Amino acid sequence: YEIVSRDWSSDVCSSDLALDNLQPGQRLVLAPGNYRVGRVLAVRREQVTVSGYDATLVASDPDQQAIQMTGAYSTLVGLTLKGTGTQRLESATSAKVIVDGTGIQVLDVTIEGGASAGIFVSRGIGIALVGDRISGTLADGIHITGGSQDVLVQNSSVTATGDDMVGIVSYQRDS
């Protein structure tokens, strides 16, 4: 698939259509360049890859800047994600990448800034976060919670965050 519009903040159809039309085993490759994004982008399909070396997604809405990875065994690779926000937010959609599912990989992704966490993993099973570079988030660089299991964080760097570099928490009360 080729992405024609680089303004995903107003061109909902182009991005959603491209992401939702992917079939298992297919890739969506973003050409090098900057893409303006003003809402959450959802990768819901199983076994798909979204990649974009030298492609930068620039967020324009602090509370709607996430790439939401829920498709089992899906992969996000090679993108640069530039966040926005000057006040720390608590919503999941204010994170740069949300991982909620099984077998999801986030590989060689660069995250610069953002109103909350860089990568937010909740209810993830068998997750790989490898070679990622995260800086300047207003909350944790990587936040793992929600009963997530078997999460690999390898060869990644986290700097200049507003909270923990890597946070692993349950938020469940001891009984």
Side-chain angles (χ1 to χ4, degrees), residues 8 24-25 42 49 51 54 59 62 64-65 80 99-100 121 124 135 146-147 152-153 156-157:
W8 283 4
T49 299
S51 68
D54 295 322
Q64 296 291 311
Q65 60 182 312
T80 295
V99 175
D100 183 352
V121 180
S135 66
L152 171 68
V153 179
S156 296
S157 65

Side-chain angles (χ1 to χ4, degrees), residues 3-158:
I3 300 300
V4 177
S5 174
R6 292 187 189 243
D7 184 353
W8 283 4
S9 60
S10 60
D11 189 359
V12 175
C13 294
S14 178
S15 58
D16 285 345
L17 187 61
L19 292 170
D20 288 343
N21 281 332
L22 289 172
Q23 297 302 311
Q26 288 187 319
R27 293 184 316 193
L28 173 65
V29 179
L30 280 73
N34 291 328
Y35 297 79
R36 193 164 58 98
V37 181
R39 59 191 182 70
V40 174
L41 298 176
V43 180
R44 296 181 277 263
R45 297 293 191 162
E46 294 185 5
Q47 300 176 340
V48 299
T49 299
V50 176
S51 68
Y53 285 94
D54 295 322
T56 301
L57 302 185
V58 181
S60 61
D61 183 341
D63 198 38
Q64 296 291 311
Q65 60 182 312
I67 296 180
Q68 186 173 33
M69 304 290 295
T70 58
Y73 306 100
S74 59
T75 301
L76 182 67
V77 62
L79 291 167
T80 295
L81 309 175
K82 291 195 176 188
T84 188
T86 56
Q87 182 177 14
R88 180 175 170 165
L89 301 177
E90 301 294 326
S91 64
T93 56
S94 64
K96 291 307 302 159
V97 178
I98 302 167
V99 175
D100 183 352
T102 301
I104 295 169
Q105 301 180 96
V106 180
L107 311 173
D108 203 24
V109 170
T110 299
I111 295 171
E112 300 170 355
S116 64
I119 300 174
F120 178 75
V121 180
S122 182
R123 298 182 302 262
I125 299 171
I127 305 303
L129 309 176
V130 179
D132 301 310
R133 292 161 305 285
I134 302 161
S135 66
T137 61
L138 297 181
D140 296 351
I142 298 171
H143 187 84
I144 302 168
T145 191
S148 295
Q149 305 170 41
D150 299 321
V151 178
L152 171 68
V153 179
Q154 184 176 20
N155 296 331
S156 296
S157 65
V158 181

Side-chain angles (χ1 to χ4, degrees), residues 156-172:
S156 296
S157 65
V158 181
T159 59
T161 63
D163 204 340
D164 299 325
M165 299 295 175
V166 178
I168 303 171
V169 294
S170 70
Y171 296 115
Q172 295 178 351

